[in-house]
């Protein structure tokens, strides 16, 4: 599991200023040669576990990206090798950061097609629970989708729009879009509902829960609805928003969000499990999981 801090102090997976590094852009050297055998072993455990679960659950674009990148079970990927392949395909690169970075730094990296990835890996006792995104979440979860031109353009547009949203006081609204797409998004494909969000793709329990469990709602993605919807930061999502096609992301990348922000600025927000009469429901969840009195967070 990847636990997130409150949206008021963190933006999605990348915000926070606990320990500012020496470089203004917060990048650091990956220092790949310093990884220990144990750290490579943790990567192998995580990689093999997810690789068994994702076929038939992750979208075609994710699986192709994973296959085409220099990512395998035996060792933590080298960011330079990843960047070389990404540059050839979509013009992106992976840059190492020590952990969560401030909003403006995060947005600037995305706007310039640089994906900031934590270069550390979780400890053995953290295989299922982690407060900050590590190299497995960031690389295994996010980077395969950066091989897809649609996601590549969408994330760049998101970075470009981030500082504007901050200036307009709409960062919480934009963060919800990021959360329900890049992190916890589902897409409808010809053979069924599939995962593309990194927060799901890097979590063994949520991989199964998001597409197979009867508990969560699955609702067709609608921008203003998402902007007004809180999300779970400590557990599985109560609602997943589903794209009908990846081209929907390109449409989002070309929208002027300012009028949308203005419309939702004073509108009430929805709770994570709310279902509205106007929702295009693909599956109305039973809510069983979150109503259960004994569960203690996702494992």
């Amino acid at each position: 599991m990847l636990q997130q801090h409150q949206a008021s102090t963190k933006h999605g997976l990348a915000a926070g200023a606990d320990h500012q590094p020496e470089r203004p852009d917060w990048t650091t050297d990956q220092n790949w040669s310093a990884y220990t055998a144990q750290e490579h072993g943790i990567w192998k455990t995580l990689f093999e576990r997810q690789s068994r679960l994702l076929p038939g659950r992750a979208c075609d674009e994710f699986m192709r990206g994973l296959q085409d990148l220099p990512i395998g079970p035996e060792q933590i990927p080298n960011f330079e090798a990843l960047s070389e392949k990404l540059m050839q395909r979509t013009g992106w690169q992976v840059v190492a950061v020590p952990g969560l970075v401030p909003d403006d730094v995060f947005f600037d990296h995305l706007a310039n097609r640089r994906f900031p990835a934590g270069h550390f890996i979780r400890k053995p006792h953290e295989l299922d629970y982690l407060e900050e995104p590590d190299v497995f979440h960031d690389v295994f979860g996010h980077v395969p989708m950066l091989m897809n031109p649609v996601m590549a353009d969408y994330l760049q547009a998101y970075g470009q729009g981030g500082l504007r949203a901050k200036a307009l006081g709409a960062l919480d609204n934009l963060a919800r879009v990021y959360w329900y797409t890049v992190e916890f998004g589902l897409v409808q494909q010809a053979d069924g509902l599939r995962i593309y969000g990194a927060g799901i793709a890097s979590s063994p329990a949520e991989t199964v829960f998001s597409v197979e469990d009867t508990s969560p709602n699955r609702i067709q993605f609608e921008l203003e609805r998402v902007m007004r919807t809180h999300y779970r930061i400590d557990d599985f999502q109560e609602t997943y928003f589903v794209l009908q096609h990846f081209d929907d992301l390109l449409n989002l990348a070309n929208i002027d969000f300012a009028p949308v922000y203005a419309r939702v600025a004073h509108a009430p927000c929805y709770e994570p499990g709310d279902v509205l009469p106007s929702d295009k429901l693909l599956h109305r969840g039973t809510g069983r999981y979150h109503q259960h009195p004994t569960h203690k967070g996702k494992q």
Side-chain angles (χ1 to χ4, degrees), residues 1-3 46-47 49-54 57-58 62 122 126-130 134 136-138 140-142 183-184 195 197-211 235-237 240 289 297-299:
M1 167 205 168
L2 187 67
Q3 184 187 35
L46 296 167
F47 183 97
R49 181 171 66 177
Q50 284 306 102
S51 295
R52 288 191 296 268
L53 289 171
L54 288 178
R57 295 186 176 103
F62 184 96
R122 65 196 72 182
E126 298 174 314
L127 292 182
D128 298 312
Y129 181 92
L130 191 68
D134 69 341
F136 184 76
H137 170 85
D138 282 342
F140 186 95
H142 282 285
E183 288 299 338
F184 291 94
I195 297 160
I200 308 174
S202 59
S203 165
E206 195 147 14
T207 290
V208 177
F209 180 84
S210 65
V211 294
D235 212 333
F236 295 140
Q237 300 307 301
Y240 297 93
Y289 174 83
K298 57 185 177 180
Q299 298 298 318

Side-chain angles (χ1 to χ4, degrees), residues 1-294:
M1 167 205 168
L2 187 67
Q3 184 187 35
Q4 293 310 308
H5 297 273
Q6 293 291 342
S8 60
T9 57
K10 301 286 185 181
H11 177 74
L13 289 180
D18 297 332
H19 304 288
Q20 185 168 351
E22 295 180 3
R23 298 175 189 169
D25 65 359
W26 286 64
T27 60
T28 187
D29 296 326
Q30 185 188 13
N31 199 12
W32 187 88
S33 62
Y35 289 123
T36 65
Q38 182 188 53
E39 289 173 326
H40 287 302
I42 292 169
W43 171 274
K44 179 180 175 69
T45 297
L46 296 167
F47 183 97
E48 291 181 341
R49 181 171 66 177
Q50 284 306 102
S51 295
R52 288 191 296 268
L53 289 171
L54 288 178
R57 295 186 176 103
C59 67
D60 298 338
E61 291 80 359
F62 184 96
M63 298 305 295
R64 280 198 296 268
L66 188 63
Q67 180 180 355
D68 292 346
L69 284 165
I71 297 178
E74 298 305 324
Q75 58 191 20
I76 297 168
N78 186 301
F79 289 5
E80 291 183 2
L82 290 175
S83 295
E84 182 178 356
K85 190 70 174 180
L86 283 169
M87 285 293 291
Q88 294 171 0
R89 185 71 62 86
T90 60
W92 276 78
Q93 59 183 308
V94 181
V95 295
V97 292
L100 297 166
V101 301
D103 289 327
D104 54 348
V105 175
F106 179 57
F107 294 139
D108 183 69
H109 280 305
L110 295 187
N112 289 281
R113 293 195 176 233
R114 299 186 299 264
F115 189 79
H119 67 304
F120 68 95
I121 194 161
R122 65 196 72 182
K123 304 299 182 185
H125 66 277
E126 298 174 314
L127 292 182
D128 298 312
Y129 181 92
L130 191 68
E131 287 195 0
E132 291 193 17
D134 69 341
V135 68
F136 184 76
H137 170 85
D138 282 342
V139 171
F140 186 95
H142 282 285
V143 174
M145 287 303 302
L146 288 175
M147 292 284 279
N148 178 263
V150 172
M151 180 60 79
D153 289 350
Y154 174 65
L155 266 183
Q156 182 181 28
Y158 184 87
Q160 292 168 340
L163 291 178
R164 186 183 187 196
K166 192 173 182 179
L168 293 171
L171 197 55
D172 282 351
N173 301 120
L174 187 65
R176 291 168 190 151
V177 177
Y178 185 91
W179 188 267
Y180 282 119
T181 57
V182 177
E183 288 299 338
F184 291 94
L186 299 177
V187 62
Q188 188 71 49
Q189 297 197 315
D191 51 357
L193 203 59
R194 296 293 181 261
I195 297 160
Y196 72 92
I200 308 174
S202 59
S203 165
E206 195 147 14
T207 290
V208 177
F209 180 84
S210 65
V211 294
E212 296 178 13
D213 203 285
T214 59
S215 184
N217 303 308
R218 298 177 184 94
I219 299 173
Q220 187 169 318
F221 185 95
E222 196 278 319
L223 180 60
E224 292 188 29
R225 165 73 157 101
V226 169
M227 281 190 174
R228 295 170 60 185
T229 304
H230 294 299
Y231 49 78
R232 298 296 301 238
I233 62 174
D234 59 346
D235 212 333
F236 295 140
Q237 300 307 301
E238 294 184 56
T239 296
Y240 297 93
F241 290 96
V242 181
L243 298 178
Q244 293 303 105
H245 193 278
F246 270 119
D247 286 349
D248 294 344
L249 290 180
L250 280 183
N251 295 334
L252 289 177
N254 294 321
I255 289 175
D256 179 5
F257 276 22
V260 186
Y261 294 146
R263 286 196 297 271
V264 304
H266 303 293
C269 288
Y270 306 118
E271 293 306 310
D274 287 351
V275 174
L276 311 180
S278 57
D279 286 336
K280 295 181 180 178
L281 265 176
L282 304 179
H283 168 78
R284 188 182 189 108
T286 64
R288 174 197 55 80
Y289 174 83
H290 293 93
Q291 294 168 2
H292 198 286
T294 59

